[in-house]
Amino acid sequence: MYRYDEFDHQFVKARTTEFADQVDRRLSGELTEDQFKPLRLMNGVYLQLHAYMLRIAIPYGTLSSKQLRMLAHIARTYDKGYGHFTTRQNLQFNWPALSDIPQILADLASVEMHALQTSGNCIRNVTADHFAGAASDEVADPRPYAEILRQWSSVHPEFSFLPRKFKIAVTGAERDRAAIQVHDIGLHLKKNAAGELGFAVYVGGGQGRTPLVAKKVRDFLPEEDLLTYTTAILRVYNLNGRRDNRYKARIKILVHETGTEELTRQIEAEFAAIREGELKLPQADIDAIERYFAPPALPDRPEGTIVEASAKLANPAFASWVKRNVNPHKNPDYASVTISLKGIGEVPGDATDEQMDAVADLAEELAFDEIRVSHEQNLILPHVARADLKIVYRRLEAIGLATANAGLVTDIIACPGLDYCALANARSISVAQEISNRFGSQARQEEIGELKLKISGCINACGHHHVGHIGILGVEKKGTELYQITLGGSGDENTSIGEIVGRGFTAEEITDAIETVVETYLALRTDKAEDFLGAYRRVGAAPFKQALYGAEAKAA
């Protein structure tokens, strides 16, 4: 993991002190809420329906046990005993008192954390594959490059007031687990024919009001040019992006309206003008950052195969958990474990202070002191000896975090929705809970197979519904909460935006509607090997519309 240097410590301390003064001025009435708003947003503080919300940055989703314990401490001391992990690999506290936030930020700074650039029209938290550095299929660990981007973008004077927020994601494997094609910039770490590392560069992806898949503007960018090329993209955007209409201000609209070919020409022209400047990355600097992310020394544990096999035979629940929540590691004696924050009927992405403390202990004792946050709102232990999987499972089971549903229908992504968010049109949490309960049977979930279900409470798409195999969007019509279904979305290397299949359903109808979609899929799939997305892409929307709307679908 990256460790702060002296500059980092001084920088975060200065910002924390500055914001503490701004909070005092707001509480005394010297600043109005309108005057305070831009100041709080630069420090990750939102005003939601019922209270302030503080969004904590977790760069590329990597945490130490010490840092996770601090998040547990903050949840217990200043909030209501839980935190909410988000699709940006961050954590949100939904109930802090404004007067406590300066102390929260000071507590965070003590463990090398902050809330900077988790809001505002700036470069947000750079995200990455949650199995980075451990995945058996990656070309290289993308996190050093995410860290280079983080350092470069932090309070960047040229890019702190962009036309709109700006999001970057990096992946280092052929299987895209970071959803790079629905980001403003997506970077795919790869090797060229000569074996040199570089990036395929995608620009202009995004969800929300106008969902679009990013366009590839470079098939191979040498790693030394990462910051120069990123600067070129941002300069073109900063100069030409819409500032007259916030709904058309994202770079995806600029790409769409300008055209990929012309925009690429502009980016390449700016890149050529600055390529040999001070932003070119020396190999020594890349190597220095990479050393922070050197994998832990993993002792040989060959007994793991026998121990794991024996435990599976003795405990079918453990066997199901291994099947769903354990992923291959570069070292065959080890595995990466997904800790599902989607217990049946629970709030997706939430973890209590006690659970965070317990996971921190587990990581420290059995997983080399490292935890990841996935954009799918789960936690990951990236380095676990297979010989210890049984122990890890038992300890997770004791704290209610051993649900064997990673990638299944109950592994639901959901935003906070109308229970918390001032922008939402409809509730997300209660819908997710009801669907989870409906499909809670392990046998039924396994019969259905891989199915990514995602829920957003409004068009801003914080729940990534556009790229759900099944997406649910909450809308409001004449004072009633309705839920619109999209089908066929995907956020992997074959990214697609889901298709709206028809009118919305009420809160009382939506779970039955989802069950209808699932049962339609089960009836039409060729065999159990054909997953939901494959079946949908083969047959299209028609059979699902017919099942959902009957004669109404024919008339349409």
Side-chain angles (χ1 to χ4, degrees), residues 129 131-132 134-140 171-177 188-189 327-330 493:
D129 180 359
F131 295 137
S136 60
D137 62 342
E138 74 177 8
V139 171
T171 189
E174 285 303 316
R175 182 71 190 269
D176 180 8
R177 291 178 288 263
H188 176 203
L189 188 60
N327 285 76
H329 193 282
K330 291 178 180 179
E493 62 278 7

Tab-separated table of all heavy atoms in Angstrom, residues 129 131-132 134-140 171-177 188-189 327-330 493:
chain	number	residue	atom	x	y	z
A	129	ASP	N	-9.524	-2.368	-10.388
A	129	ASP	CA	-9.930	-3.755	-10.169
A	129	ASP	C	-9.707	-4.117	-8.710
A	129	ASP	O	-8.616	-3.942	-8.165
A	129	ASP	CB	-9.084	-4.655	-11.083
A	129	ASP	CG	-9.394	-6.132	-10.953
A	129	ASP	OD1	-10.252	-6.520	-10.138
A	129	ASP	OD2	-8.754	-6.917	-11.684
A	131	PHE	N	-9.406	-6.952	-7.384
A	131	PHE	CA	-8.469	-8.067	-7.227
A	131	PHE	C	-7.059	-7.690	-7.690
A	131	PHE	O	-6.201	-8.555	-7.841
A	131	PHE	CB	-8.946	-9.282	-8.022
A	131	PHE	CG	-10.241	-9.883	-7.537
A	131	PHE	CD1	-11.216	-10.282	-8.446
A	131	PHE	CD2	-10.503	-10.060	-6.189
A	131	PHE	CE1	-12.414	-10.846	-8.016
A	131	PHE	CE2	-11.694	-10.610	-5.751
A	131	PHE	CZ	-12.648	-11.013	-6.657
A	132	ALA	N	-6.808	-6.406	-7.888
A	132	ALA	CA	-5.519	-5.951	-8.408
A	132	ALA	C	-4.366	-6.438	-7.536
A	132	ALA	O	-4.436	-6.409	-6.306
A	132	ALA	CB	-5.499	-4.422	-8.477
A	134	ALA	N	-3.424	-9.381	-7.144
A	134	ALA	CA	-3.629	-10.765	-6.729
A	134	ALA	C	-4.209	-11.621	-7.842
A	134	ALA	O	-4.018	-12.846	-7.850
A	134	ALA	CB	-4.566	-10.813	-5.514
A	135	ALA	N	-4.920	-11.009	-8.784
A	135	ALA	CA	-5.671	-11.752	-9.792
A	135	ALA	C	-4.755	-12.593	-10.673
A	135	ALA	O	-3.708	-12.127	-11.140
A	135	ALA	CB	-6.478	-10.787	-10.661
A	136	SER	N	-5.168	-13.808	-10.913
A	136	SER	CA	-4.367	-14.726	-11.721
A	136	SER	C	-4.341	-14.337	-13.191
A	136	SER	O	-3.484	-14.787	-13.937
A	136	SER	CB	-4.912	-16.153	-11.574
A	136	SER	OG	-6.264	-16.232	-12.014
A	137	ASP	N	-5.268	-13.476	-13.610
A	137	ASP	CA	-5.375	-13.143	-15.033
A	137	ASP	C	-4.873	-11.748	-15.377
A	137	ASP	O	-5.026	-11.302	-16.511
A	137	ASP	CB	-6.829	-13.280	-15.497
A	137	ASP	CG	-7.782	-12.326	-14.763
A	137	ASP	OD1	-7.413	-11.822	-13.686
A	137	ASP	OD2	-8.894	-12.097	-15.267
A	138	GLU	N	-4.237	-11.030	-14.454
A	138	GLU	CA	-3.842	-9.662	-14.767
A	138	GLU	C	-2.461	-9.615	-15.428
A	138	GLU	O	-1.574	-10.431	-15.158
A	138	GLU	CB	-3.876	-8.776	-13.530
A	138	GLU	CG	-2.766	-8.974	-12.534
A	138	GLU	CD	-2.844	-7.988	-11.361
A	138	GLU	OE1	-3.828	-7.255	-11.238
A	138	GLU	OE2	-1.892	-7.981	-10.555
A	139	VAL	N	-2.283	-8.621	-16.279
A	139	VAL	CA	-1.008	-8.352	-16.931
A	139	VAL	C	-0.048	-7.705	-15.942
A	139	VAL	O	1.138	-8.034	-15.873
A	139	VAL	CB	-1.214	-7.449	-18.160
A	139	VAL	CG1	0.112	-6.980	-18.740
A	139	VAL	CG2	-2.035	-8.173	-19.212
A	140	ALA	N	-0.563	-6.747	-15.186
A	140	ALA	CA	0.213	-6.052	-14.159
A	140	ALA	C	-0.770	-5.391	-13.200
A	140	ALA	O	-1.940	-5.173	-13.519
A	140	ALA	CB	1.135	-5.010	-14.786
A	171	THR	N	-7.825	-0.857	-15.097
A	171	THR	CA	-7.831	-2.307	-14.916
A	171	THR	C	-6.583	-2.897	-15.547
A	171	THR	O	-6.031	-2.332	-16.495
A	171	THR	CB	-9.097	-2.956	-15.521
A	171	THR	OG1	-9.155	-4.331	-15.136
A	171	THR	CG2	-9.107	-2.860	-17.033
A	172	GLY	N	-6.135	-4.022	-15.024
A	172	GLY	CA	-4.919	-4.642	-15.528
A	172	GLY	C	-5.126	-6.040	-16.057
A	172	GLY	O	-4.166	-6.785	-16.246
A	173	ALA	N	-6.370	-6.432	-16.288
A	173	ALA	CA	-6.684	-7.785	-16.759
A	173	ALA	C	-7.583	-7.710	-17.985
A	173	ALA	O	-8.242	-6.695	-18.234
A	173	ALA	CB	-7.373	-8.585	-15.657
A	174	GLU	N	-7.602	-8.792	-18.753
A	174	GLU	CA	-8.503	-8.840	-19.902
A	174	GLU	C	-9.960	-8.788	-19.449
A	174	GLU	O	-10.803	-8.194	-20.112
A	174	GLU	CB	-8.245	-10.110	-20.720
A	174	GLU	CG	-6.979	-10.049	-21.555
A	174	GLU	CD	-6.956	-8.875	-22.526
A	174	GLU	OE1	-7.974	-8.628	-23.183
A	174	GLU	OE2	-5.911	-8.202	-22.615
A	175	ARG	N	-10.267	-9.433	-18.332
A	175	ARG	CA	-11.613	-9.355	-17.769
A	175	ARG	C	-11.738	-8.039	-17.025
A	175	ARG	O	-11.028	-7.795	-16.044
A	175	ARG	CB	-11.869	-10.541	-16.813
A	175	ARG	CG	-13.271	-10.557	-16.211
A	175	ARG	CD	-14.295	-10.900	-17.257
A	175	ARG	NE	-15.647	-10.719	-16.815
A	175	ARG	CZ	-16.387	-11.675	-16.232
A	175	ARG	NH1	-15.861	-12.867	-16.000
A	175	ARG	NH2	-17.630	-11.433	-15.883
A	176	ASP	N	-12.604	-7.185	-17.486
A	176	ASP	CA	-12.751	-5.857	-16.885
A	176	ASP	C	-13.623	-5.939	-15.641
A	176	ASP	O	-14.839	-6.106	-15.728
A	176	ASP	CB	-13.349	-4.882	-17.903
A	176	ASP	CG	-13.516	-3.480	-17.336
A	176	ASP	OD1	-13.029	-3.224	-16.217
A	176	ASP	OD2	-14.133	-2.643	-18.011
A	177	ARG	N	-13.000	-5.788	-14.480
A	177	ARG	CA	-13.730	-5.774	-13.211
A	177	ARG	C	-13.823	-4.361	-12.634
A	177	ARG	O	-14.200	-4.198	-11.470
A	177	ARG	CB	-13.044	-6.719	-12.214
A	177	ARG	CG	-13.171	-8.199	-12.582
A	177	ARG	CD	-12.427	-9.092	-11.600
A	177	ARG	NE	-10.998	-8.997	-11.759
A	177	ARG	CZ	-10.248	-9.848	-12.470
A	177	ARG	NH1	-10.821	-10.882	-13.082
A	177	ARG	NH2	-8.945	-9.684	-12.550
A	188	HIS	N	-6.976	0.597	-19.759
A	188	HIS	CA	-6.764	-0.857	-19.743
A	188	HIS	C	-5.271	-1.116	-19.887
A	188	HIS	O	-4.684	-0.921	-20.946
A	188	HIS	CB	-7.539	-1.519	-20.877
A	188	HIS	CG	-7.302	-2.991	-20.995
A	188	HIS	ND1	-7.498	-3.695	-22.161
A	188	HIS	CD2	-6.860	-3.898	-20.080
A	188	HIS	CE1	-7.201	-4.962	-21.962
A	188	HIS	NE2	-6.800	-5.107	-20.717
A	189	LEU	N	-4.643	-1.553	-18.797
A	189	LEU	CA	-3.215	-1.841	-18.778
A	189	LEU	C	-2.943	-3.106	-19.589
A	189	LEU	O	-3.585	-4.139	-19.380
A	189	LEU	CB	-2.765	-2.017	-17.325
A	189	LEU	CG	-1.278	-2.156	-17.019
A	189	LEU	CD1	-0.513	-0.919	-17.479
A	189	LEU	CD2	-1.093	-2.364	-15.518
A	327	ASN	N	-11.947	-16.475	-5.290
A	327	ASN	CA	-11.414	-16.305	-6.639
A	327	ASN	C	-9.956	-16.737	-6.719
A	327	ASN	O	-9.212	-16.636	-5.750
A	327	ASN	CB	-11.522	-14.838	-7.065
A	327	ASN	CG	-12.938	-14.450	-7.407
A	327	ASN	OD1	-13.760	-14.259	-6.519
A	327	ASN	ND2	-13.230	-14.345	-8.684
A	328	PRO	N	-9.524	-17.191	-7.908
A	328	PRO	CA	-8.137	-17.645	-8.068
A	328	PRO	C	-7.122	-16.529	-7.814
A	328	PRO	O	-7.380	-15.355	-8.084
A	328	PRO	CB	-8.080	-18.100	-9.533
A	328	PRO	CG	-9.493	-18.331	-9.923
A	328	PRO	CD	-10.305	-17.368	-9.141
A	329	HIS	N	-5.984	-16.925	-7.311
A	329	HIS	CA	-4.874	-16.029	-6.993
A	329	HIS	C	-3.689	-16.387	-7.882
A	329	HIS	O	-3.612	-17.503	-8.405
A	329	HIS	CB	-4.507	-16.200	-5.511
A	329	HIS	CG	-3.611	-15.147	-4.951
A	329	HIS	ND1	-2.249	-15.122	-5.172
A	329	HIS	CD2	-3.876	-14.083	-4.142
A	329	HIS	CE1	-1.721	-14.096	-4.530
A	329	HIS	NE2	-2.677	-13.434	-3.911
A	330	LYS	N	-2.775	-15.460	-8.060
A	330	LYS	CA	-1.555	-15.745	-8.818
A	330	LYS	C	-0.798	-16.927	-8.228
A	330	LYS	O	-0.188	-17.712	-8.953
A	330	LYS	CB	-0.645	-14.516	-8.828
A	330	LYS	CG	-1.160	-13.349	-9.631
A	330	LYS	CD	-0.212	-12.165	-9.530
A	330	LYS	CE	-0.718	-10.985	-10.345
A	330	LYS	NZ	0.180	-9.819	-10.252
A	493	GLU	N	-15.864	-6.176	-20.012
A	493	GLU	CA	-15.136	-5.855	-21.240
A	493	GLU	C	-16.041	-5.789	-22.467
A	493	GLU	O	-15.655	-5.249	-23.513
A	493	GLU	CB	-14.002	-6.857	-21.469
A	493	GLU	CG	-14.437	-8.294	-21.646
A	493	GLU	CD	-14.703	-9.015	-20.331
A	493	GLU	OE1	-14.679	-8.374	-19.253
A	493	GLU	OE2	-14.938	-10.239	-20.382
